[in-house]
Amino acid sequence: MSASNTTTITSIGAPNRRNTELALLVFAVAIPVFAYANVGLAKNGSVPAGLLGYGVGLGLLATVTHLLVRKFAPYADPLMLPIATLLNGLGLVLIWRLDQEPSLGAAMAPKQLMWSTFGVVLFVAVLVFIKDHRILQRYTYISMVLALVLLVLPVFFPPVYGARIWITLPGIGSLQPGEFAKIIITVFFAGYLMVKRDALALASRRVMGLYLPRGRDLGPILVIWAVSLLILVFETDLGTSLLFFGLFVIMLYVATERTSWIVFGLLLSSAGAVAVASSERHVKVRVQDWLHPLALQNDAVTETAQARYAFGSGGLFGSGLGQGYSRLIHGIAPKSDYILATVGEELGLAGLMAVLLLYGLLIERGIRTALAARDPFGKLLAIGLSGGFALQVFVVAGGVTGLIPLTGMTMPFMAQGGSSVIANWALVAILLRISDTARRPAPSPAPSPDAEATQVVRNQ
Amino acid sequence: MNKPLRRVAVFCGLLVLALLVRVNYVQFVQADQLQNDPYNRRVAINQYAQPRGDIVVDGKAVTGHTETNGSDFKYKRTYTDGPMWAPVTGHASQAYGTTMLEGVEDKFLTGDDDRLFFNRTIDLLTGKQRQGGNVVTTLNAEAQKAAFDGLGDKKGAVVALDPRTGAVLAMASTPSYDPSDIAGYSTSDEKNWIALDKKKDPDDPSLNRALRQTYPPGSTFKLVTAAAALESGQVTDIDGKTNSPDPYYPLPGSAFKLVNEGHIQCKDTSLRDALRQSCNTVFGKLGATVGLQGMVDEAEKFGFNKEQLIPVRADASNFDTKMSPDQVAQSSIGQFDTAATPLQMAMVASAIANNGVLMQPYEVDKLVAPNLSTISQTDPKEMSKPLSPENAQKLQSMMETVVNDGTGKKAKIPGVKVGGKTGTAQHGVNNDKAPYAWFVSYAMTDQGSPVAVAVVVEDGSANRDDISGGGLAAPIAKSVMEAVLNK
């Protein structure tokens, strides 16, 4: 037994669980590959020609990421990478499956595979180049500026399907800067709140059982609230504004430990939501669709109704991959916003619940990372990222299933869309980096010269 | 910071939980309702995912199917002699739903019917494609052809019944349409469908005139009035003098005057002669004497004022239940608000021919499973007894006089006893439209009457007397009766 193990501070930390991750990754690759074969057999009666290439490709990506995680973040949470891989893989299969329906337009799967690869590259880059997440703290105000620029940019581009959330770059295609702004603004919030949290928490007056913060501390939340509403008004993007505002409230609450922020947040957001819902036509239509999902429009079935039919027809166990009729959801987004409807129809309630639980698991692992993080910045950053992720999943899945009015946002990892998949891979990378730092055992202290004298009696 | 973190964790857990509860609600609780919502295309897709069962006439299917490509629907309905059979089969269209037998027996034809559960289970176990059941009709292909060809370019309808059972032998309606033309989902189907619309085509070819159109029955309604007169005892001797003025004023001092067409003299004419010449005065007075209640009772025994389900729905024929005596008199000669479907008038003739017993009309003989086992068989059912056998025979004798030397001579068939009644119904404001030509009749053999027919031709000739009923409609009835008799 070496001398280092005889001190009271043990250097044996949490097990790094890299092998668990590897085992899970095998499933995360195998399941989409089987699903791919399944779609081919159901649609064309034969195993798709690209199966080997697809399987090898996905396997290779998983292997490379795994090896790099092993090298650069050895103590990182073992669940997040497999879950992200599985969701991304399933998303690719579903998009490829929807590509088989000519009525839904051009094939998107190859592009999505390319974007996913870029996403994984960014994932690796984050892990390799950001050795410690606290470096991000330095860029608090730069992040704020960058986030605002990204948010405001789409205003200068023409609206697509009623929402100004895209920017189009010639030769590259369209980007949704909101997806990246989500991460960058979280970095800003974490940095800002880490500095201001004491002022916000303590310098307040108690009014009617609530702690009212001082005006100068309340200022930023009002500004952010106004900005998110402005985004909504100019870009008609209810989802993003809800996400940003929710994100900020959650992070404020965690930073200050004051419940009053939640109350303020709810009051302000409901006031804003009501005001916008009753004035914006775009939003009004969504609310009407939500209240009367099966109502006809111009004697035709709406997208909302089609999605609901897809869910209902899926029933408990679904029609089987490739055997549903989610192509009936014509409209604009069967491959992105409505991809969950295909999950619901073809994999059934069982499959949809499994997918939702995967998201739930990923979110809770993120929060777990926040709990485990040792520095306030890391805690705030982790809770911001996972809380935002949770809100996004809730807003999209809730909208598609009719729990809340539909807002245009993408289902992380699964939905077709380059910006979304790339940004979410980066998000998972940052979470992994924080969890690696959090779970890394404390460096072993230098061998103590009086080790002999303080030796403890160990019970074997 | 850990306490709020745990709370956020719980909050996020609740968000996921809410989603799980929601999807359970949608996919489990609401699933059934959503699956079967009529606007859910999957319902139609399923309906055409396997070939439909066939509608069979005389042992031969008048329907079929083809496989279609490039649409949601795998199989498309086809029809043999579509226009001729359209009033019977209706259409089963991928885009425009189902009607008539295709609609009423839809579940059986698609194989969805509970009575086919056993067959479905076997198919499931043996891995066979699900199959639909067949609907075997009571129709007689020869009679149908005679009816359809007889109507030709004219607008009208024919219904022939077997008076002994109530089985429908022929049911034609013109102008007709070919259900094959609208069976699919293509743009040409859509064009054909739009062309069928009443606003585009005033002839309304998709209207089933035999069941869904009521016409003023005109003089053919006098059969009902005669039956009421005999049943109520107003007339016992059909060859005796009636106490009938000419013209007839239903109410003392009323300005309304009932006159006879073509200046025939009908003062005190016997019932037999009055029917032979179709005297309005005699029957108007008889109806008024029998009274509103007696007339309504008799008409309803023949099936008026009630929808008939054969099993396809036929519109209710009308005989008003609240009228003044002069209105009763007009109604008794088939005018005022009196209206009847061709099916209704065929029922009147068949009840008389069947010695006063009206059998429930039906057009489905049996439902047959794909493996040819009979799932259900229709038994002839008595509907009512509008006449006593003696009175029925008196009426038969009178109707035979009409054919032998009255207005219905054109329906004579050598060697067969044929009874009939013509009718020309005026309609439109001030009778300004072309009258409807009617003919109802039956043929009689030693084994009773095998066929009773009602024919209506809408664009009757401008010659506004009973000759048009006898001239236009009687030959059609004759050829239908011959078709049945020769079998």
Side-chain angles (χ1 to χ4, degrees), chain A residues 309 311 327 344-345 379 401, chain B residues 2 22 27 37 42 72:
Chain A
Y309 292 146
F311 281 115
R327 65 160 176 274
E345 177 167 11
K379 273 183 187 299
T401 57
Chain B
N2 281 356
R22 176 66 190 178
Q27 294 207 266
D37 191 289
R42 291 164 188 80
D72 289 342

Side-chain angles (χ1 to χ4, degrees), chain A residues 57-395:
Chain A
L58 202 61
L60 244 134
L61 275 183
T63 315
V64 169
T65 45
H66 171 71
L67 289 177
L68 286 163
V69 168
R70 223 175 238 274
K71 172 93 174 65
F72 290 100
Y75 292 94
D77 188 288
L79 272 178
M80 289 197 244
L81 178 60
I83 292 177
T85 309
L86 177 56
L87 288 172
N88 200 166
L90 277 179
L92 279 166
V93 170
L94 288 167
I95 292 165
W96 183 74
R97 178 259 168 280
L98 289 169
D99 283 348
Q100 310 302 304
E101 308 290 354
S103 62
L104 295 182
M108 295 290 192
K111 246 192 174 162
Q112 182 72 1
L113 187 60
M114 185 186 83
W115 294 124
S116 302
T117 313
F118 283 164
V120 171
V121 169
L122 188 58
F123 170 89
V124 168
V126 168
L127 281 184
V128 171
F129 292 110
I130 303 182
K131 289 273 187 315
D132 187 327
H133 61 269
R134 276 165 292 194
I135 297 171
L136 294 172
Q137 217 174 321
R138 289 186 209 151
Y139 305 110
T140 302
Y141 291 96
I142 295 177
S143 303
M144 181 190 75
V145 174
L146 190 60
L148 284 179
V149 167
L150 283 176
L151 278 180
V152 170
L153 262 183
V155 173
F156 303 107
F157 290 86
V160 184
Y161 309 127
R164 285 179 192 272
I165 51 175
W166 274 274
I167 58 172
T168 33
L169 301 176
I172 297 180
S174 47
L175 276 173
Q176 243 175 300
E179 291 283 346
F180 297 100
K182 176 179 76 180
I183 298 174
I184 296 168
I185 208 163
T186 309
V187 171
F188 157 65
F189 283 162
Y192 175 81
L193 289 173
M194 202 197 71
V195 177
K196 290 281 163 104
R197 67 196 193 102
D198 288 339
L200 281 164
L202 302 173
S204 55
R205 287 164 296 149
R206 206 179 148 86
V207 177
M208 297 198 317
L210 289 174
Y211 289 97
L212 275 187
R214 295 179 305 189
R216 72 180 102 140
D217 300 321
L218 191 65
I221 195 176
L222 288 175
V223 168
I224 293 297
W225 180 65
V227 167
S228 64
L229 274 190
L230 283 178
I231 294 169
L232 172 55
V233 170
F234 285 113
E235 303 179 0
T236 51
D237 186 4
L238 187 63
T240 309
S241 60
L242 200 75
L243 172 66
F244 282 27
F245 191 66
L247 193 71
F248 191 45
V249 171
I250 287 178
M251 292 177 76
L252 262 173
Y253 170 62
V254 171
T256 61
E257 308 192 24
R258 287 267 186 254
T259 323
S260 47
W261 286 114
I262 302 277
V263 178
F264 280 128
L266 284 179
L267 284 178
L268 289 176
S269 58
S270 34
V274 168
V276 169
S278 52
S279 63
E280 270 287 319
R281 204 193 59 81
H282 184 72
V283 180
K284 240 189 209 163
V285 170
R286 294 279 171 91
V287 172
Q288 278 307 310
D289 279 351
W290 172 60
L291 292 174
H292 312 284
L294 302 184
L296 299 181
Q297 241 172 47
N298 307 325
D299 282 333
V301 179
T302 55
E303 247 172 73
T304 326
Q306 290 288 18
R308 206 60 63 81
Y309 292 146
F311 281 115
S313 303
L316 290 185
F317 300 108
S319 61
L321 275 172
Q323 291 170 307
Y325 295 98
S326 42
R327 65 160 176 274
L328 296 176
I329 312 166
H330 281 301
I332 55 171
K335 293 178 191 175
S336 53
D337 298 27
Y338 280 117
I339 200 144
L340 270 190
T342 304
V343 176
E345 177 167 11
E346 307 206 335
L347 299 176
L349 176 59
L352 185 54
M353 292 221 292
V355 167
L356 288 175
L357 285 174
L358 283 178
Y359 280 110
L361 211 51
L362 190 53
I363 293 160
E364 295 298 321
R365 290 315 288 182
I367 298 174
R368 178 91 202 98
T369 299
L371 276 168
R374 297 187 188 122
D375 63 306
F377 177 75
K379 273 183 187 299
L380 283 171
L381 188 54
I383 194 66
L385 292 176
S386 29
F389 192 86
L391 284 175
Q392 185 163 359
V393 168
F394 178 77
V395 166

Side-chain angles (χ1 to χ4, degrees), chain B residues 223-238:
Chain B
L223 293 172
V224 177
T225 311
L230 290 168
E231 282 291 294
S232 65
Q234 285 294 327
V235 177
T236 44
D237 178 6
I238 54 172

Side-chain angles (χ1 to χ4, degrees), chain B residues 31 39 110 131 147 171-172 211 216 284 287 320 425 428 449 455:
Chain B
Y39 288 103
T110 55
Q131 283 177 291
M171 184 156 73
L211 300 183
D320 280 357
S449 168
V455 178

